[in-house]
């Protein structure tokens, strides 16, 4: 319902503000991004949104073929948590997992925009990340189009 979704965000902000305040007191964060990082972040956050939206759209379209998708969803979201930097900072991953995170889309939906804003990337890394985002947006667009075309032909309604 619209009430729940409209009510959820303000409640979560109110609940997270004391936590954010406490963490800022403990860790004393300091952000001083350069203009290039601010501009890159503005692009990267929208790129992250597009990548994640398209991948979730493709994931949702799996229901064209089956109604039993919970295991697929769980696998996807576990990989996303581990390889995006949401659960574990990417710098703490073993070399093989960090290499995997560099080529899969998950890093570019969460970890990369944060690294951009934190100011820990070189100019080359800023543009390389944007290039990876552009590639994943193109791949996501192609996947959405292909899965939609095939799925609509295969679709079978369940129930009445």
């Amino acid at each position: 319902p619209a009430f729940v979704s409209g009510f959820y965000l303000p409640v979560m902000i109110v609940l997270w503000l004391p936590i954010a305040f406490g963490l800022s007191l403990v860790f004393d964060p300091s952000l001083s991004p350069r203009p290039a990082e601010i501009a890159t972040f503005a692009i990267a956050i929208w790129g992250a949104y597009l990548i994640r939206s398209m991948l979730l759209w493709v994931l949702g379209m799996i229901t064209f073929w089956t109604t039993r998708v919970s295991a697929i969803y769980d696998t996807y979201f576990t990989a996303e948590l581990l390889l995006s930097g949401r659960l574990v900072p990417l710098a703490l991953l073993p070399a093989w997992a960090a290499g995997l995170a560099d080529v899969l889309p998950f890093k570019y939906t969460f970890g990369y925009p944060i690294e951009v804003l934190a100011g820990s990337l070189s100019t080359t890394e800023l543009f390389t990340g944007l290039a990876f985002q552009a590639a994943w947006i193109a791949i996501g667009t192609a996947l959405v189009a292909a899965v939609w075309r095939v799925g609509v032909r295969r679709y079978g309604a369940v129930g009445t």
Side-chain angles (χ1 to χ4, degrees), residues 51-81:
I51 293 167
R52 193 157 193 271
S53 293
M54 283 188 272
L55 292 177
L56 291 175
W57 193 358
V58 169
L59 194 61
M61 285 190 288
I62 290 172
T63 58
F64 279 135
W65 292 275
T66 182
T67 58
R68 306 192 69 170
V69 294
S70 62
I72 296 169
Y73 283 9
D74 290 345
T75 302
Y76 174 87
F77 288 116
T78 299
E80 182 188 50
L81 276 173

Side-chain angles (χ1 to χ4, degrees), residues 17-27:
L17 281 176
I19 295 170
F21 180 73
L23 289 173
S24 67
L25 288 177
V26 171
F27 292 105

Side-chain angles (χ1 to χ4, degrees), residues 35-122:
E37 292 164 338
I38 293 170
T40 303
F41 177 77
I43 297 166
I45 199 71
W46 283 104
Y49 169 77
L50 288 172
I51 293 167
R52 193 157 193 271
S53 293
M54 283 188 272
L55 292 177
L56 291 175
W57 193 358
V58 169
L59 194 61
M61 285 190 288
I62 290 172
T63 58
F64 279 135
W65 292 275
T66 182
T67 58
R68 306 192 69 170
V69 294
S70 62
I72 296 169
Y73 283 9
D74 290 345
T75 302
Y76 174 87
F77 288 116
T78 299
E80 182 188 50
L81 276 173
L82 292 173
L83 298 174
S84 69
R86 288 176 64 189
L87 187 63
V88 177
L90 295 173
L92 298 179
L93 294 177
W96 66 269
L100 191 60
D102 284 341
V103 297
L104 292 175
F106 308 120
K107 172 183 176 177
Y108 303 100
T109 62
F110 188 79
Y112 170 70
I114 288 174
E115 289 173 353
V116 168
L117 195 58
S120 60
L121 301 177
S122 69

